[in-house]
Each structure stands twice: as C-alpha cells, then as structure tokens.
Amino acid sequence: HTRLQGDWSSDVCSSDLIPLTSESMLDITQTGEVVGGTLIFDMAQLTSESDGLADHLKNADFFDVETYPTATYIITESIPTPLDPDHDLIINGELTLMDQTHPHNIVATFDRESFIFEFTTSIDRTKWGVTYNSAGLGGELGDRAIADMVELEGALVLNRTEDETSTDEEAIPEHDEDS
C-alpha cells in the first residue's frame, strides 16, 4: 500500500476547533481504498470564536493541553458504506485523548481524485475523563451544565510521501496542490 501524508491549514483542515497536525496520514491500497492511518489533533491549537472559551477548554477543567498537547485517532479498519449518500466509509479505530484510549468509529468520505479525506463524528467526552460540568453526570448544575457530546468534523488534504511500504509508485498519481 501507499502512505499519503496530510497537509493542513486552519481554514481547510480542522476538527471543529482543533486542527490536525501535518503528521496526520492515511495508508491506502493501490486501488485507493483506505486501510489504515493516523489523525493527530493539535489540542494546543484549539480555537474558539467565543471569548475565553478556548483558554478554558485548554486548561485542566477540560483537555489539559499543557499535559496532553495532542490527541490521536488510529484507523484500524475501513468499511465501505454504499447505502449512505453522504459518506462512503465507516472507519473503525481507537481514539487516544488525555492518555486514555477507547474504540471509536467515524464516518468519512475519501475522494480518490482530489485526495481529500473528510470525516465527522461525535464523542462522549466523559469516556475520556473530561467531566467538568457534565450534563450527564447529574448534580445541581442547572443551566451551567455542559453537553457531554462533542462534535468533530475535519478534512485532510493528502500528498504522496515516499515510504518503504509503497509497492506500486504508478498506482496512485501524485496530488498537485496547484491543480
């Protein structure tokens, strides 16, 4: 298979408020099927349009980015979904966030012509120990309760990199970002 490395910019490749690092990559077969990969989220670059929210999300109440500057999603399996008009893949994998790893699925689309991998998912933050003002943990929080589900969407624009796992250099043409 061939390894494709991702390039990102905050306006193209982001996970809601959390950008992917340039080390994010996909492993694909000679026919363009996704068979593995790694998405690395740069938690320290988390941003928000709401005043002060990004700083609060970065502190120990939430994602403690000083201790855990990245989160990682390892793709373990990709299953075609011909019946879903919005996504062509169900991706099985493991999400590591704050040193805790749990199985997690995402839905995705991989465009074999433009080499863009787009994904969406939602996570229950409490599974990874992020429990600050959790709406699901009860208590007397009232309107201060914060939803447990966090929506993530992102895109990875891919470029070919040389890798010893590549078996057929002609199977997948290089992606030229200027085209």
Side-chain angles (χ1 to χ4, degrees):
H1 62 271
T2 301
R3 175 159 293 159
L4 297 179
Q5 191 86 17
D7 283 343
W8 68 273
S9 64
S10 59
D11 62 331
V12 175
C13 301
S14 65
S15 179
D16 256 354
L17 307 171
I18 308 167
L20 294 167
T21 71
S22 60
E23 289 82 26
S24 297
M25 58 84 186
L26 290 181
D27 290 329
I28 62 169
T29 65
Q30 294 174 5
T31 59
E33 302 301 315
V34 176
V35 293
T38 304
L39 303 177
I40 303 170
F41 299 91
D42 187 348
M43 302 301 287
Q45 297 301 315
L46 183 148
T47 60
S48 175
E49 293 179 7
S50 179
D51 289 341
L53 179 59
D55 289 337
H56 193 201
L57 291 173
K58 290 178 186 181
N59 77 24
D61 285 344
F62 287 96
F63 298 112
D64 194 4
V65 300
E66 190 171 310
T67 305
Y68 309 104
T70 61
T72 304
Y73 185 76
I74 304 292
I75 297 170
T76 58
E77 180 182 33
S78 173
I79 303 167
T81 59
L83 300 178
D84 183 342
D86 297 321
H87 304 95
D88 61 359
L89 301 169
I90 294 176
I91 304 291
N92 296 323
E94 294 184 337
L95 176 63
T96 300
L97 178 63
M98 297 177 57
D99 253 359
Q100 295 186 43
T101 302
H102 297 285
H104 191 73
N105 299 334
I106 63 176
V107 292
T109 300
F110 179 56
D111 186 316
R112 289 162 186 82
E113 291 180 24
S114 65
F115 288 90
I116 297 176
F117 178 77
E118 295 178 290
F119 63 92
T120 184
T121 190
S122 56
I123 65 167
D124 179 348
R125 64 186 175 96
T126 62
K127 284 178 65 175
W128 284 268
V130 182
T131 59
Y132 180 80
N133 281 10
S134 168
L137 296 180
E140 306 268 337
L141 296 173
D143 63 356
R144 295 176 303 151
I146 300 170
D148 294 338
M149 298 306 290
V150 177
E151 300 294 323
L152 300 175
E153 295 179 352
L156 188 60
V157 179
L158 299 161
N159 293 299
R160 178 188 209 88
T161 60
E162 295 306 316
D163 186 324
E164 63 278 355
T165 61
S166 296
T167 57
D168 182 358
E169 294 299 319
E170 300 302 317
I172 299 170
E174 283 193 79
H175 172 63
D176 181 3
E177 294 215 312
D178 296 328
S179 61

